[in-house]
Amino acid sequence: MLAARQGNVLASRLIHRAHAEAGWFLYAPTCALVEADRVRPGTAEHLAALPGVTILDLDLPAALAVAGQDTWAAAHSRYAAQPTPERPDGAVVATTFPKRWEGEPVRVLDLGD
């Protein structure tokens, strides 16, 4: 989220594809959005205004998955990446810090420059 706000080319391409191409979806877990906004104020408002970004609520199952974790942003992102009936293959975590996700049960897209 911070990468998108800072003009990362790969993040911008993802946002564009999610807006312009059928079958492309870009999800922003609420907890990750809050953490990004704390680091760089205005990030949440900016991303929430983009037509290709879907904000994922912190519903009860997500809250239960996140509650016992140290970092809510990472926990909510990990939860959001798991397979669901709507996303049977799960989702991919797009990040500039792929090493943070080593050993986690998620697929990762490295947005690093």
Side-chain angles (χ1 to χ4, degrees):
M1 293 179 189
L2 292 174
R5 182 79 163 128
Q6 295 171 341
N8 178 289
V9 173
L10 294 175
S12 294
R13 287 180 184 164
L14 284 175
I15 292 166
H16 173 73
R17 281 195 127 163
H19 173 66
E21 294 186 32
W24 276 81
F25 303 97
L26 196 57
Y27 302 103
T30 300
C31 291
L33 195 60
V34 168
E35 186 171 307
D37 201 71
R38 286 180 178 168
V39 172
R40 189 172 175 124
T43 299
E45 185 176 356
H46 174 75
L47 289 173
L50 296 173
V53 177
T54 301
I55 308 301
L56 296 179
D57 293 334
L58 185 63
D59 59 10
L60 180 58
L64 295 174
V66 166
Q69 304 299 314
D70 292 333
T71 305
W72 285 23
H76 197 188
S77 297
R78 181 176 48 249
Y79 174 80
Q82 299 306 305
T84 66
E86 298 83 24
R87 297 182 301 275
D89 293 329
V92 177
V93 175
T95 181
T96 56
F97 299 104
K99 289 190 183 289
R100 188 266 167 256
W101 296 97
E102 288 179 357
E104 295 287 346
V106 298
R107 296 176 292 153
V108 174
L109 175 62
D110 185 355
L111 297 178
D113 295 323

